[in-house]
Amino acid sequence: MSIDTETARRVAKLARIAVADDALPALASEFNAILGFIEQLNEVDVDGVEPMTSVTPQRLMRRADVVTDGNQQAAVLKNAPDAREGFFAVPKVVE
């Protein structure tokens, strides 16, 4: 796939980037270099290779998956302009 200057102009417009007309050939060349690198990456055989989340082997800490109320009702309602009986109080909007 090759990017010409008109396609580079369209991509710049879609990205809301102001690019001068004399800079469009350089931008198209950069796009082509990026796409060429992606094509090189597509040629790499990755069958049997597990995805990595980090370059160092590590195990993520896990917590128990239990449902709680968070025990922070008072802290949450502390900044409410109006709270009643443990809930946010709002004005009635439907009559």
Side-chain angles (χ1 to χ4, degrees):
M1 179 176 190
S2 180
I3 302 290
D4 59 356
T5 55
E6 285 306 312
T7 306
R9 181 189 324 270
R10 185 166 184 262
V11 169
K13 181 180 178 189
L14 290 172
R16 306 287 194 265
I17 299 172
V19 178
D21 287 338
D22 58 337
L24 284 172
L27 182 63
S29 175
E30 288 182 38
F31 284 153
N32 285 321
I34 292 169
L35 291 175
F37 183 68
I38 291 172
E39 288 176 8
Q40 279 184 328
L41 290 176
N42 285 333
E43 294 174 5
V44 176
D45 181 21
V46 293
D47 290 336
V49 177
E50 287 194 34
M52 294 175 32
T53 57
S54 174
V55 294
T56 58
Q58 58 184 343
R59 183 111 172 117
L60 297 176
M61 299 296 294
R62 298 186 185 254
R63 62 174 172 79
D65 190 16
V66 294
V67 177
T68 66
D69 65 355
N71 296 326
Q72 296 191 20
Q73 182 181 22
V76 170
L77 294 176
K78 181 171 62 173
N79 292 327
D82 188 9
R84 296 182 202 149
E85 301 176 18
F87 296 98
F88 289 102
V90 295
K92 184 177 179 180
V93 293
V94 178
E95 295 185 32

